[in-house]
């Protein structure tokens, strides 16, 4: 099963996952990937993208990530990668992958797009409104999965081709997939993960990469 995926499943030798390392919780993602026995690298430039099979856009500040990517000329390369290869956006990363974003800062922000969804950028308010809960995501795990929300966005609506993986309520969707793209409003990398069997979302993303490589 996806959930029992670990280093012995053959991912470690053949798969390299990059984590965008401009800002945010990139080190935490890398630690989980290493626990799964997968080669993980920090991604900061175009050449890094050429070495990886899949990319994680971490939580952090989506406006800052967008501005830095734009100023360094990295945005077109990122956009090209995410349009073709497996990419997972968590929290701020989800915002970057959305086609439509509500509550943007004045002047808007640079987006990668690709997910046919409307995301409310700061739906859960300030850091004071951060919370932890258990999510039912049958596609990902047969057991409820712990999830940490920090000033989190929410997916208000999805369009054609988007699969809803889990939601807090009908209008509060928190995880979606559209083909090679995955988006979560919460931070799976911040949940204490002591063994590979607890890395539900990272394992799910590795399975997406595996399917994409074999298609």
């Amino acid at each position: 099963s996806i959930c029992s995926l670990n280093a012995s499943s053959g991912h470690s030798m053949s798969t390299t996952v990059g984590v965008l390392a401009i800002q945010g919780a990139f080190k935490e993602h890398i630690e989980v990937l290493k626990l799964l026995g997968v080669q993980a690298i920090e991604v900061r430039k175009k050449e890094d993208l050429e070495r990886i099979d899949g990319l994680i856009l971490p939580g952090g500040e989506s406006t800052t990530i967008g501005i830095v990517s734009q100023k360094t000329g990295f945005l077109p390369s990122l956009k090209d990668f995410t349009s073709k290869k497996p990419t997972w956006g968590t929290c701020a990363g989800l915002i970057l992958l959305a086609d439509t974003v509500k509550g943007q800062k004045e002047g808007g922000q640079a987006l990668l797009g690709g997910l046919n969804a409307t995301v409310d950028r700061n739906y859960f308010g300030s850091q004071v409104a951060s919370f932890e809960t258990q999510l039912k995501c049958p596609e990902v795990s047969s057991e409820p999965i712990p999830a940490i929300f920090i000033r989190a966005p929410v997916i208000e609506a999805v369009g054609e081709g988007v699969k809803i993986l889990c939601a807090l309520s009908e209008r509060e969707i928190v995880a979606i997939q559209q083909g090679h793209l995955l988006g979560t409003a919460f931070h799976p990398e911040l949940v204490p993960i002591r063994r590979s069997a607890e890395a539900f979302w990272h394992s799910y993303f590795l399975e997406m990469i595996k399917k994409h490589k074999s298609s």
Side-chain angles (χ1 to χ4, degrees):
S1 76
I2 290 169
C3 303
S4 61
L5 186 68
N6 57 34
S8 64
S9 62
H11 286 282
S12 52
M13 300 310 290
S14 58
T15 301
T16 303
V17 178
V19 184
L20 187 66
I22 290 171
Q23 192 254 354
F26 57 90
K27 286 192 168 77
E28 289 84 350
H29 275 293
I30 286 172
E31 282 171 20
V32 180
L33 291 165
K34 284 180 176 172
L35 180 68
L36 287 165
V38 176
Q39 188 174 348
I41 66 163
E42 294 179 8
V43 171
R44 291 190 178 88
K45 55 189 188 295
K46 183 182 176 181
E47 291 74 24
D48 297 332
L49 294 171
E50 291 160 10
R51 297 169 53 201
I52 61 174
D53 302 297
L55 176 68
I56 297 174
L57 308 173
E61 173 49 62
S62 61
T63 310
T64 305
I65 294 168
I67 289 168
V68 174
S69 301
Q70 236 174 348
K71 280 186 175 173
T72 56
F74 188 32
L75 200 68
S77 301
L78 264 181
K79 207 164 189 171
D80 183 58
F81 184 96
T82 60
S83 70
K84 298 171 186 169
K85 288 197 167 184
T87 305
W88 171 22
T90 63
C91 197
L94 162 68
I95 296 166
L96 289 170
L97 287 177
D99 284 343
T100 308
V101 176
K102 291 170 66 177
Q104 291 187 42
K105 290 186 176 174
E106 200 173 328
Q109 69 182 96
L111 299 172
L112 298 168
L115 280 174
N116 185 8
T118 301
V119 170
D120 189 333
R121 188 176 173 277
N122 201 14
Y123 180 84
F124 288 107
S126 68
Q127 201 134 358
V128 181
S130 303
F131 64 97
E132 190 170 344
T133 189
Q134 298 279 327
L135 294 173
K136 289 181 182 174
C137 316
E139 295 255 357
V140 181
S141 168
S142 56
E143 315 157 25
I145 305 173
I148 294 172
F149 291 79
I150 301 172
R151 288 179 300 165
V154 85
I155 302 148
E156 278 197 350
V158 298
E160 197 177 337
V162 179
K163 178 164 60 174
I164 296 171
L165 296 173
C166 47
L168 294 171
S169 68
E170 201 174 313
R171 287 190 59 80
E172 294 177 325
I173 302 161
V174 293
I176 56 174
Q177 182 184 346
Q178 183 178 358
H180 65 282
L181 298 176
L182 176 65
T184 57
F186 44 91
H187 287 266
E189 77 286 2
L190 298 183
V191 174
I193 296 169
R194 291 168 298 277
R195 53 199 178 90
S196 58
E198 294 171 340
F200 300 106
W201 288 101
H202 291 79
S203 295
Y204 186 83
F205 183 55
L206 289 174
E207 197 66 22
M208 282 175 58
I209 294 171
K210 184 181 172 186
K211 284 176 185 168
H212 188 266
K213 285 171 79 173
S214 63
S215 64

